[in-house]
Amino acid sequence: MIRLIIFDLDDTLYPEIEFVMSGFKAVAKAISQDFDFDTNKIYALLIEAFKEDKKFVFNRVLKYLKIYNEDYLNKLIFLYRTHNPEIHLYKDAEEMLPYLKEHFLLGLITDGFPTTQRLKVEALNIERYFDGIIYTGEKGENYSKPSIFPFIDMLNEFHIQSDEAIYIGDNIEKDFKGPKALGMVSIRVIRNGIYKNSISPGKDFDPDYVINSLFELDNLLNKL
């Protein structure tokens, strides 16, 4: 019998691209104010650079603008990570979280810069739904997915056996290996997200089930 449902955050409960675009707006505004550029043009440059390659976007844009400076780069990274994001839950998450809260314990395990992830949770107004939240960045590098450690901690917190819990994520490269290793049921929700084209490194990374929407959970849970 399932008693605990653990969720991933980014691209599982909300579209992560919204956070990226929100951060780019904040950064574009800062660059424009500091160097008298047009905000819209800087924003467009950031988006174009991101579409070309998701890595080192700020570095490349600053070099293109001939204003690269490592201290200024670090300032922009900090701004990006700590801005108040404009993000919204997926429709299915918005409806299913309060429904699931009535029937199960709910947990959230999320990687990333802890302050950033906390700001996302606050912006989405979802802390009220979760009985436990683990920000792996506060625990150390060995806690980042696909580590088993955050899942062990959450199971222990609620005194729940692994076969009484399920984990729902989206990223096949890291989300499912940890919970599967512990004997938890793992479910991938297909999203049109940043890592939608990620490739499984091996069978132990594959989820047990795949769904196209959280609305499908009700039927699936009845079968488990």
Side-chain angles (χ1 to χ4, degrees), residues 5-215:
I5 300 176
I6 305 172
F7 285 93
D8 168 55
L9 177 61
D10 298 311
D11 272 338
T12 296
L13 297 180
Y14 85 99
E16 188 174 4
I17 192 65
E18 284 190 358
F19 176 82
V20 174
M21 298 299 107
S22 175
F24 283 178
K25 286 180 182 178
V27 169
K29 183 178 180 180
I31 294 175
S32 301
Q33 289 176 342
D34 293 339
F35 293 94
D36 197 27
F37 288 118
D38 179 85
T39 303
N40 291 331
K41 289 183 179 179
I42 300 301
Y43 180 61
L45 278 174
L46 290 166
I47 293 175
E48 182 181 352
F50 180 78
K51 288 180 178 178
E52 290 174 355
D53 187 345
K54 297 177 180 64
K55 297 180 180 179
F56 306 112
V57 172
F58 299 159
N59 306 54
R60 289 182 283 123
V61 169
L62 291 180
K63 288 177 181 178
Y64 174 80
L65 295 170
K66 296 181 169 54
I67 57 171
Y68 180 84
N69 174 282
E70 193 157 341
D71 289 337
Y72 190 66
L73 170 65
N74 290 332
K75 173 186 172 181
L76 295 182
I77 292 172
F78 180 79
L79 173 62
Y80 177 84
R81 287 175 168 176
T82 60
H83 83 285
N84 291 312
E86 298 176 14
I87 54 178
H88 309 84
L89 289 171
Y90 285 115
K91 182 65 175 176
D92 58 350
E94 183 180 8
E95 294 189 23
M96 288 299 291
L97 283 175
Y99 168 75
L100 294 170
K101 174 68 174 174
E102 294 179 1
H103 301 88
F104 304 92
L105 290 168
L106 298 185
L108 182 69
I109 296 177
T110 179
D111 286 346
F113 191 66
T115 299
T116 305
Q117 301 309 98
R118 286 183 177 277
L119 287 167
K120 292 174 183 177
V121 169
E122 182 179 344
L124 294 168
N125 192 27
I126 56 174
E127 188 171 9
R128 57 198 163 128
Y129 296 126
F130 293 102
D131 301 283
I133 300 178
I134 293 178
Y135 299 94
T136 63
E138 295 177 345
K139 301 282 191 175
E141 290 184 8
N142 63 337
Y143 264 75
S144 295
K145 302 168 195 172
S147 170
I148 61 174
F149 295 127
F151 298 96
I152 290 174
D153 283 2
M154 189 157 284
L155 292 173
N156 288 340
E157 179 179 349
F158 297 116
H159 307 287
I160 284 178
Q161 300 299 313
S162 59
D163 60 359
E164 298 175 310
I166 66 172
Y167 176 71
I168 302 170
D170 70 290
N171 189 346
I172 202 166
E173 290 183 353
K174 66 173 187 175
D175 272 337
F176 310 111
K177 187 176 187 293
K180 281 188 67 175
L182 295 173
M184 294 173 55
V185 170
S186 61
I187 302 171
R188 183 186 189 190
V189 58
I190 300 297
R191 301 294 198 191
N192 188 30
I194 291 177
Y195 300 103
K196 63 181 179 180
N197 295 321
S198 59
I199 299 173
S200 172
K203 287 186 177 181
D204 51 344
F205 286 80
D206 293 339
D208 297 308
Y209 299 93
V210 177
I211 57 177
N212 293 301
S213 166
L214 296 181
F215 290 131

